[in-house]
Amino acid sequence: VRSREQCGHVSGACNRAATGVMWRLLLLAAAAGGVRREVFESREAGGAAAELFYPPYDLSRFSWGSVNGTLNRTALTAEFRGGPAGEPGGGFANGSLAFRVTAYEADGRDGALPRLLHTANSSKVEFVLAGVAPRGNGSRFVLEVATVEEAGAARRLRSARSIDDEYTPTIFETLSLAAEAPGAVLSFLQWKATAYGSRSPRREDGIRCRAHELHAANCSLPPSAIVRGYFGDRPAGACSVSALNISFGGEDGDVYQEKRYLSWSALLGFGQPPADSFSPLVVAIVAVALGTPAALLLLGGLAVLLARRRRYSEYEPIN
């Protein structure tokens, strides 16, 4: 499955006034056409062809539920869910595709895996496939994320590896897609190198997540109400569009076949992306693990020296 997601990864100045957003365009009734994405499903094929693609699902033809019914003003969450309109059967007969958004009021960490570290200047975006029946064995999933930046911002994909998997077991890599200006990071999209195949994810529900090469998209601004609302009617060349493919599956692709559920979370925000550090518990464990052998070695050496000195002191010196 390949989802073409045109998200609002913007690189405008962090202190941009709210009046700069053109809410008039954002609230147009005709703006419903801003959902112009496609979902592709593919499977491995023999012979010269590496993959076989099925007819895509056009998300602009989906029937989307009202976000007002899923808006939780206390938890600051909302869900945008939909499925093919007028399609009683097919892969979406008992399934749906959803985008979930969570806003934050303060710094902290999510309680559910992958337990993303967040700031008050960031929000979490989740891509969820639930109950969608694959049309072939061994279907692969690919989410294409399109980013829009103002001219002059450079895009960079960064990978950070750490031996610390305290919060996300067995996952040692964090990736960030950042929009950078000289001397500053303007905005970012950050995620762990994993997706999950359960509504209540555990370590064994992990699905391999792999980021492909970032490339420039030779196209104009996406026809999205949100993008137009933020950037306005900019002339050609005033903004740049780039795309990144994120694939799910591989040797552990059977997780979705079994549970029919896929959830991938990413953090979207302004400024420098948050960086994990070792907690006091991990520091204490490492100190004990490394300090105990050194202390035993030192004590053993002192014991040997004292024993040798005591043995020779039992004899009288000979002139």
Side-chain angles (χ1 to χ4, degrees):
V1 178
R2 185 185 179 195
S3 172
R4 302 176 60 88
E5 166 59 8
Q6 296 163 339
C7 66
H9 178 69
V10 296
S11 63
C14 296
N15 58 355
R16 179 169 181 164
T19 54
V21 178
M22 302 177 66
W23 300 107
R24 173 180 56 84
L25 296 178
L26 206 61
L27 299 175
L28 287 177
V35 183
R36 301 177 63 88
R37 312 175 190 100
E38 290 180 321
V39 175
F40 292 84
E41 183 178 351
S42 69
R43 66 176 176 84
E44 293 184 352
E51 287 184 292
L52 174 65
F53 283 87
Y54 296 96
Y57 294 106
D58 187 354
L59 301 192
S60 66
R61 301 178 181 274
F62 274 34
S63 175
W64 297 94
S66 173
V67 73
N68 293 328
T70 63
L71 181 62
N72 188 325
R73 299 182 183 276
T74 303
L76 302 178
T77 60
E79 181 176 294
F80 194 49
R81 179 182 297 181
E87 183 183 345
F92 278 83
N94 298 311
S96 64
L97 182 151
F99 297 97
R100 297 173 182 168
V101 179
T102 303
Y104 301 107
E105 295 181 308
D107 298 357
R109 185 183 298 275
D110 274 352
L113 291 175
R115 302 198 64 187
L116 295 173
L117 180 67
H118 60 77
T119 67
N121 290 328
S122 62
S123 300
K124 183 176 69 171
V125 180
E126 294 180 78
F127 168 71
V128 180
L129 279 176
V132 179
R135 288 176 284 184
N137 296 326
S139 291
R140 299 285 182 98
F141 304 89
V142 178
L143 175 68
E144 184 181 55
V145 180
T147 70
V148 183
E149 292 94 10
E150 294 175 342
R155 296 156 301 282
R156 182 184 176 190
L157 179 63
R158 298 185 291 186
S159 173
R161 294 181 179 272
S162 172
I163 62 172
D164 184 12
D165 67 341
E166 175 185 6
Y167 300 107
T168 312
T170 73
I171 306 300
F172 301 94
E173 184 180 16
T174 301
L175 297 104
S176 299
L177 177 59
E180 302 177 346
V185 177
L186 302 177
S187 60
F188 64 88
L189 183 71
Q190 185 183 65
W191 66 95
K192 293 279 190 177
T194 185
Y196 291 97
S198 174
R199 298 180 187 273
S200 301
R202 298 171 298 175
R203 184 183 65 179
E204 54 268 29
D205 299 319
I207 299 176
R208 180 184 178 187
C209 175
R210 178 170 174 260
H212 298 262
E213 184 179 358
L214 178 68
H215 62 276
N218 297 322
C219 61
S220 58
L221 284 178
S224 166
I226 295 178
V227 173
R228 288 185 297 137
Y230 187 91
F231 291 100
D233 297 324
R234 301 289 182 92
C239 298
S240 59
V241 184
S242 57
L244 172 72
N245 289 339
I246 302 173
S247 62
F248 310 101
E251 68 276 2
D252 51 3
D254 292 338
V255 173
Y256 182 83
Q257 297 283 345
E258 177 185 352
K259 300 188 177 181
R260 302 284 177 88
Y261 190 87
L262 170 67
S263 174
W264 175 75
S265 303
L267 201 67
L268 180 68
F270 290 101
Q272 189 75 23
D276 267 317
S277 59
F278 290 106
S279 68
L281 176 61
V282 172
V283 172
I285 293 175
V286 173
V288 170
L290 298 179
T292 300
L296 292 176
L297 182 61
L298 179 60
L299 292 175
L302 291 175
V304 170
L305 291 176
L306 291 175
R308 293 180 61 184
R309 183 175 181 180
R310 181 177 301 174
R311 183 180 61 183
Y312 289 113
S313 65
E314 292 178 354
Y315 299 93
E316 295 292 336
I318 300 177
N319 293 327

